Amino acid sequence: MTVAALTHTSDRLQPESVRANVPLASHTTFKVGGQAEWYCEPQSNEALKSCWTWAAERDLRVTLMGLGSNMLISDRGLPGLVINLRRLRGHELLGDGRLWAAAGEPIVKLAHVAARQGWRGMEWAVGIPGTVGGAVTMNAGAHGASTAEILESVTVLDDCQQLRQLSPAELGFAYRTSVLQTRRRWLVTGAIFQLESGGEPEQVKAQTQANWAHRSSTQPYNMPSCGSVFRNPQPRAAGWLIEQTGLKGHCLGGAQVAERHANFILNRDRATATDIHSLIRFVQERVRDRWSLILHPEVRVLGEFDRPLLSA
């Protein structure tokens, strides 16, 4: 791919792919949210650098997104530049169980790619509705496994516009987090995973399909959601705590705590981001009152809301 074409706007050079006032609701799995002040979808590292440099020169806040599966964007929208990496795609089999993928590649797709090779280690990812960049940033996981366990290295575009390769040890992985969540000026561009080669493809595909069958039967995929809303406060699961508090099915505006899995909040009936945010806080308050603990959101809350969520 070549560098994004540049056009002259006012007294600055603006990447052609950067657009103003773009609605974000259709780019998130919650199907809510206002407009991005500026928005782009780079398709190469060169185009990504061009957009990144343009934003830095204007001192704009940068927000990253992929498939929009782990975020709640305010109805008031987002200032600055939203960079959507969903078109930064591609993967390559490097041999001996090593698999490279670009930041925008869906992690679900990689689970199936690995299974067809008979490579073990990514069967858990078949139900994760996000990208490689998001999975690395938040240390996504399921079925007792996580991204950190199979990651060999990640390439990021740093705040000096340089590509650098980082090891898992440098990423500070913990449960559903990494240093990339606080280093907002570092953009994941790709990652290499080390899987276990030599397996029987049919067996790995069968386990991958079994994981998907389990997730689809126990989690609500029939309505817009962000996936799991809260981190699990060990030893209890967030969904169990919410269910025991009696909140399954509870509605606020167009938002609802899912009947099938209480750690999911659904956009049931034209919900606004405010509806969803208010319901998240209500769940926090009720669980705090019942169990004397505060559920920590796994979903990224972006933009302005009238009341903050509870924090520990």
Side-chain angles (χ1 to χ4, degrees), residues 1 10 27 43 77 118 124 136 140 176 178 253 301:
M1 304 293 295
S10 67
H27 296 294
Q43 299 184 52
W124 58 269
V136 171
R176 300 295 180 266
S178 75
V301 177

Side-chain angles (χ1 to χ4, degrees), residues 12-152:
R12 296 205 179 197
L13 290 175
Q14 176 179 319
E16 188 178 74
S17 60
V18 173
R19 295 178 288 145
N21 302 319
V22 174
L24 293 173
S26 64
H27 296 294
T28 74
T29 56
F30 257 140
K31 302 305 178 187
V32 298
Q35 294 185 340
E37 181 182 9
W38 299 97
Y39 177 88
C40 67
E41 295 184 0
Q43 299 184 52
S44 69
N45 286 345
E46 290 80 9
L48 176 60
K49 288 181 181 180
S50 175
C51 295
W52 187 242
T53 300
W54 180 81
E57 289 174 348
R58 288 175 168 234
D59 196 27
L60 295 176
R61 178 185 303 177
V62 173
T63 301
L64 301 178
M65 66 184 303
L67 299 181
S69 61
N70 191 46
M71 55 178 53
L72 174 62
I73 296 174
S74 167
D75 298 313
R76 301 168 190 171
L78 297 177
L81 175 65
V82 174
I83 300 179
N84 192 324
L85 300 177
R86 67 176 185 163
R87 297 187 186 279
L88 200 63
R89 292 198 176 189
H91 69 271
E92 183 178 352
L93 301 172
L94 303 179
D96 296 324
R98 297 173 71 241
L99 172 60
W100 171 84
E105 195 77 347
I107 196 75
V108 170
K109 179 178 178 180
L110 293 185
H112 290 295
V113 168
R116 289 195 294 268
Q117 298 299 312
W119 292 358
R120 295 190 179 277
M122 202 169 267
E123 299 93 320
W124 58 269
V126 68
I128 303 296
T131 60
V132 167
V136 171
T137 299
M138 70 168 291
N139 191 20
H143 303 285
S146 67
T147 304
E149 298 168 14
I150 58 173
L151 185 69
E152 177 183 303

